[in-house]
Amino acid sequence: MRAGRRRGFGALSARRAERIYVDADGEDTFELVVWVGYNIDWDNEDERATVEDPDDPGLARLVDGRRLPFPVVAADGFDATGVRATNPRGHTFGVVSEELA
């Protein structure tokens, strides 16, 4: 291992933050919630047709060319993600929220 580099779990806990965020309540500890969601109504035939493989209606076409069964896509697919933080006083705010295109 080269000097100055650490590997494994210990490397994750050895790094210190350059800046510590303190919110308006003076809190610097937060519970983070990472969420994902989707905006496709899989039961709507018109929306489902936008991803349906014309050669095999039981499969969905992904942007990378792969074809997967609809139940897999409906269970695992998402097109939006975000992170929300809650301080010990119960005040919640959005850290980031993105719609994937």
Side-chain angles (χ1 to χ4, degrees), residues 11-39:
L12 295 173
S13 60
R15 189 168 168 226
R16 293 195 176 254
E18 294 175 16
R19 293 184 306 186
I20 296 176
Y21 176 78
V22 178
D23 69 3
D25 293 330
E27 300 291 348
D28 64 359
T29 303
F30 305 92
E31 174 187 59
L32 298 179
V33 175
V34 178
W35 61 267
V36 296
Y38 61 90
N39 294 311

Tab-separated table of all heavy atoms in Angstrom, residues 11-39:
chain	number	residue	atom	x	y	z
A	11	ALA	N	-10.620	3.084	6.625
A	11	ALA	CA	-10.403	4.290	5.830
A	11	ALA	C	-11.642	5.183	5.833
A	11	ALA	O	-11.538	6.409	5.770
A	11	ALA	CB	-10.025	3.913	4.403
A	12	LEU	N	-12.815	4.583	5.923
A	12	LEU	CA	-14.047	5.367	5.944
A	12	LEU	C	-14.182	6.162	7.233
A	12	LEU	O	-14.633	7.302	7.224
A	12	LEU	CB	-15.259	4.452	5.788
A	12	LEU	CG	-15.378	3.722	4.463
A	12	LEU	CD1	-16.542	2.734	4.528
A	12	LEU	CD2	-15.600	4.719	3.342
A	13	SER	N	-13.799	5.584	8.348
A	13	SER	CA	-13.981	6.252	9.629
A	13	SER	C	-12.818	7.168	9.987
A	13	SER	O	-12.910	7.940	10.924
A	13	SER	CB	-14.192	5.218	10.727
A	13	SER	OG	-13.078	4.366	10.820
A	14	ALA	N	-11.731	7.127	9.251
A	14	ALA	CA	-10.554	7.922	9.581
A	14	ALA	C	-10.640	9.352	9.036
A	14	ALA	O	-9.922	10.220	9.484
A	14	ALA	CB	-9.306	7.247	9.040
A	15	ARG	N	-11.505	9.592	8.100
A	15	ARG	CA	-11.584	10.906	7.462
A	15	ARG	C	-12.433	11.862	8.292
A	15	ARG	O	-13.519	11.521	8.736
A	15	ARG	CB	-12.191	10.750	6.079
A	15	ARG	CG	-12.113	11.970	5.270
A	15	ARG	CD	-12.467	11.668	3.835
A	15	ARG	NE	-12.657	12.935	3.174
A	15	ARG	CZ	-13.654	13.224	2.386
A	15	ARG	NH1	-14.546	12.314	2.118
A	15	ARG	NH2	-13.757	14.406	1.849
A	16	ARG	N	-11.945	13.062	8.482
A	16	ARG	CA	-12.692	14.070	9.231
A	16	ARG	C	-13.307	15.070	8.271
A	16	ARG	O	-12.732	15.394	7.239
A	16	ARG	CB	-11.788	14.798	10.205
A	16	ARG	CG	-11.306	13.915	11.299
A	16	ARG	CD	-10.740	14.754	12.409
A	16	ARG	NE	-10.370	13.885	13.495
A	16	ARG	CZ	-11.058	13.790	14.604
A	16	ARG	NH1	-12.131	14.501	14.780
A	16	ARG	NH2	-10.665	12.992	15.554
A	17	ALA	N	-14.461	15.579	8.636
A	17	ALA	CA	-15.130	16.576	7.810
A	17	ALA	C	-14.339	17.881	7.838
A	17	ALA	O	-13.805	18.276	8.878
A	17	ALA	CB	-16.541	16.817	8.326
A	18	GLU	N	-14.265	18.525	6.690
A	18	GLU	CA	-13.579	19.817	6.632
A	18	GLU	C	-14.443	20.916	7.237
A	18	GLU	O	-13.936	21.869	7.813
A	18	GLU	CB	-13.231	20.145	5.188
A	18	GLU	CG	-12.209	19.185	4.620
A	18	GLU	CD	-11.949	19.440	3.151
A	18	GLU	OE1	-12.312	20.520	2.646
A	18	GLU	OE2	-11.378	18.545	2.520
A	19	ARG	N	-15.766	20.775	7.077
A	19	ARG	CA	-16.714	21.722	7.653
A	19	ARG	C	-17.841	20.938	8.291
A	19	ARG	O	-18.249	19.906	7.775
A	19	ARG	CB	-17.294	22.637	6.586
A	19	ARG	CG	-16.283	23.564	5.983
A	19	ARG	CD	-16.933	24.506	5.024
A	19	ARG	NE	-17.708	23.744	4.032
A	19	ARG	CZ	-18.301	24.281	2.998
A	19	ARG	NH1	-18.242	25.559	2.798
A	19	ARG	NH2	-18.967	23.547	2.146
A	20	ILE	N	-18.360	21.420	9.375
A	20	ILE	CA	-19.493	20.789	10.027
A	20	ILE	C	-20.707	21.675	9.802
A	20	ILE	O	-20.663	22.882	10.061
A	20	ILE	CB	-19.231	20.586	11.525
A	20	ILE	CG1	-18.074	19.607	11.711
A	20	ILE	CG2	-20.486	20.096	12.237
A	20	ILE	CD1	-17.659	19.401	13.136
A	21	TYR	N	-21.789	21.070	9.307
A	21	TYR	CA	-23.016	21.817	9.053
A	21	TYR	C	-23.800	21.948	10.356
A	21	TYR	O	-24.008	20.973	11.073
A	21	TYR	CB	-23.877	21.103	8.003
A	21	TYR	CG	-25.200	21.776	7.780
A	21	TYR	CD1	-25.278	22.928	7.007
A	21	TYR	CD2	-26.352	21.303	8.380
A	21	TYR	CE1	-26.490	23.580	6.815
A	21	TYR	CE2	-27.562	21.937	8.196
A	21	TYR	CZ	-27.623	23.074	7.415
A	21	TYR	OH	-28.817	23.716	7.244
A	22	VAL	N	-24.222	23.163	10.664
A	22	VAL	CA	-25.071	23.435	11.813
A	22	VAL	C	-26.313	24.136	11.270
A	22	VAL	O	-26.212	25.134	10.561
A	22	VAL	CB	-24.353	24.318	12.852
A	22	VAL	CG1	-25.271	24.632	14.021
A	22	VAL	CG2	-23.077	23.640	13.335
A	23	ASP	N	-27.504	23.606	11.609
A	23	ASP	CA	-28.732	24.206	11.072
A	23	ASP	C	-29.172	25.409	11.908
A	23	ASP	O	-28.491	25.809	12.866
A	23	ASP	CB	-29.836	23.156	10.934
A	23	ASP	CG	-30.377	22.657	12.260
A	23	ASP	OD1	-29.963	23.152	13.324
A	23	ASP	OD2	-31.245	21.759	12.233
A	24	ALA	N	-30.302	25.974	11.549
A	24	ALA	CA	-30.808	27.178	12.209
A	24	ALA	C	-31.127	26.940	13.683
A	24	ALA	O	-31.132	27.886	14.476
A	24	ALA	CB	-32.051	27.691	11.474
A	25	ASP	N	-31.388	25.683	14.075
A	25	ASP	CA	-31.663	25.357	15.471
A	25	ASP	C	-30.380	25.110	16.262
A	25	ASP	O	-30.439	24.792	17.446
A	25	ASP	CB	-32.543	24.104	15.563
A	25	ASP	CG	-33.938	24.318	15.016
A	25	ASP	OD1	-34.431	25.462	15.083
A	25	ASP	OD2	-34.534	23.339	14.530
A	26	GLY	N	-29.221	25.209	15.610
A	26	GLY	CA	-27.951	24.941	16.274
A	26	GLY	C	-27.598	23.469	16.349
A	26	GLY	O	-26.666	23.084	17.050
A	27	GLU	N	-28.315	22.632	15.612
A	27	GLU	CA	-28.082	21.184	15.635
A	27	GLU	C	-27.067	20.781	14.559
A	27	GLU	O	-27.059	21.332	13.461
A	27	GLU	CB	-29.396	20.430	15.394
A	27	GLU	CG	-30.473	20.706	16.415
A	27	GLU	CD	-30.165	20.131	17.789
A	27	GLU	OE1	-29.227	19.325	17.933
A	27	GLU	OE2	-30.896	20.483	18.727
A	28	ASP	N	-26.224	19.810	14.895
A	28	ASP	CA	-25.253	19.306	13.925
A	28	ASP	C	-25.360	17.788	13.732
A	28	ASP	O	-24.509	17.161	13.122
A	28	ASP	CB	-23.829	19.684	14.311
A	28	ASP	CG	-23.375	19.055	15.621
A	28	ASP	OD1	-24.168	18.331	16.255
A	28	ASP	OD2	-22.214	19.283	16.008
A	29	THR	N	-26.432	17.179	14.264
A	29	THR	CA	-26.674	15.743	14.119
A	29	THR	C	-28.046	15.566	13.477
A	29	THR	O	-29.014	16.213	13.893
A	29	THR	CB	-26.652	15.048	15.490
A	29	THR	OG1	-25.398	15.315	16.118
A	29	THR	CG2	-26.841	13.545	15.340
A	30	PHE	N	-28.117	14.689	12.471
A	30	PHE	CA	-29.351	14.534	11.711
A	30	PHE	C	-29.612	13.074	11.393
A	30	PHE	O	-28.679	12.298	11.188
A	30	PHE	CB	-29.265	15.305	10.386
A	30	PHE	CG	-28.929	16.745	10.575
A	30	PHE	CD1	-27.618	17.166	10.547
A	30	PHE	CD2	-29.924	17.671	10.795
A	30	PHE	CE1	-27.297	18.492	10.737
A	30	PHE	CE2	-29.620	19.003	10.986
A	30	PHE	CZ	-28.296	19.415	10.961
A	31	GLU	N	-30.891	12.724	11.318
A	31	GLU	CA	-31.303	11.437	10.765
A	31	GLU	C	-31.517	11.670	9.274
A	31	GLU	O	-32.232	12.594	8.889
A	31	GLU	CB	-32.599	10.973	11.408
A	31	GLU	CG	-33.141	9.713	10.766
A	31	GLU	CD	-34.516	9.355	11.294
A	31	GLU	OE1	-35.436	10.177	11.162
A	31	GLU	OE2	-34.639	8.255	11.828
A	32	LEU	N	-30.891	10.861	8.444
A	32	LEU	CA	-31.038	10.992	6.993
A	32	LEU	C	-31.940	9.899	6.461
A	32	LEU	O	-31.825	8.740	6.859
A	32	LEU	CB	-29.676	10.898	6.301
A	32	LEU	CG	-28.663	11.971	6.673
A	32	LEU	CD1	-27.359	11.734	5.935
A	32	LEU	CD2	-29.203	13.362	6.395
A	33	VAL	N	-32.842	10.278	5.557
A	33	VAL	CA	-33.714	9.327	4.882
A	33	VAL	C	-33.466	9.472	3.384
A	33	VAL	O	-33.628	10.556	2.830
A	33	VAL	CB	-35.202	9.595	5.199
A	33	VAL	CG1	-36.096	8.680	4.382
A	33	VAL	CG2	-35.465	9.433	6.683
A	34	VAL	N	-33.047	8.391	2.758
A	34	VAL	CA	-32.854	8.355	1.312
A	34	VAL	C	-34.095	7.708	0.719
A	34	VAL	O	-34.508	6.638	1.168
A	34	VAL	CB	-31.590	7.547	0.937
A	34	VAL	CG1	-31.423	7.481	-0.565
A	34	VAL	CG2	-30.365	8.150	1.605
A	35	TRP	N	-34.706	8.370	-0.258
A	35	TRP	CA	-35.925	7.828	-0.857
A	35	TRP	C	-35.778	7.743	-2.371
A	35	TRP	O	-34.990	8.459	-2.967
A	35	TRP	CB	-37.149	8.666	-0.486
A	35	TRP	CG	-37.081	10.090	-0.939
A	35	TRP	CD1	-36.622	11.159	-0.229
A	35	TRP	CD2	-37.462	10.604	-2.219
A	35	TRP	NE1	-36.696	12.303	-0.980
A	35	TRP	CE2	-37.211	11.995	-2.213
A	35	TRP	CE3	-37.997	10.025	-3.364
A	35	TRP	CZ2	-37.470	12.807	-3.300
A	35	TRP	CZ3	-38.250	10.843	-4.456
A	35	TRP	CH2	-37.996	12.215	-4.415
A	36	VAL	N	-36.539	6.828	-2.943
A	36	VAL	CA	-36.644	6.709	-4.392
A	36	VAL	C	-38.116	6.568	-4.740
A	36	VAL	O	-38.915	6.109	-3.930
A	36	VAL	CB	-35.835	5.509	-4.963
A	36	VAL	CG1	-34.348	5.688	-4.724
A	36	VAL	CG2	-36.309	4.197	-4.376
A	37	GLY	N	-38.480	6.990	-5.928
A	37	GLY	CA	-39.866	6.898	-6.350
A	37	GLY	C	-39.970	6.802	-7.857
A	37	GLY	O	-38.974	6.913	-8.570
A	38	TYR	N	-41.173	6.590	-8.323
A	38	TYR	CA	-41.393	6.535	-9.764
A	38	TYR	C	-42.687	7.255	-10.096
A	38	TYR	O	-43.579	7.376	-9.265
A	38	TYR	CB	-41.412	5.094	-10.287
A	38	TYR	CG	-42.500	4.232	-9.707
A	38	TYR	CD1	-43.751	4.154	-10.321
A	38	TYR	CD2	-42.287	3.490	-8.567
A	38	TYR	CE1	-44.751	3.373	-9.798
A	38	TYR	CE2	-43.292	2.700	-8.033
A	38	TYR	CZ	-44.509	2.641	-8.660
A	38	TYR	OH	-45.506	1.869	-8.130
A	39	ASN	N	-42.736	7.764	-11.306
A	39	ASN	CA	-43.892	8.533	-11.763
A	39	ASN	C	-44.684	7.812	-12.843
A	39	ASN	O	-45.480	8.436	-13.526
A	39	ASN	CB	-43.436	9.894	-12.298
A	39	ASN	CG	-42.857	10.742	-11.195
A	39	ASN	OD1	-43.453	10.886	-10.151
A	39	ASN	ND2	-41.674	11.290	-11.420
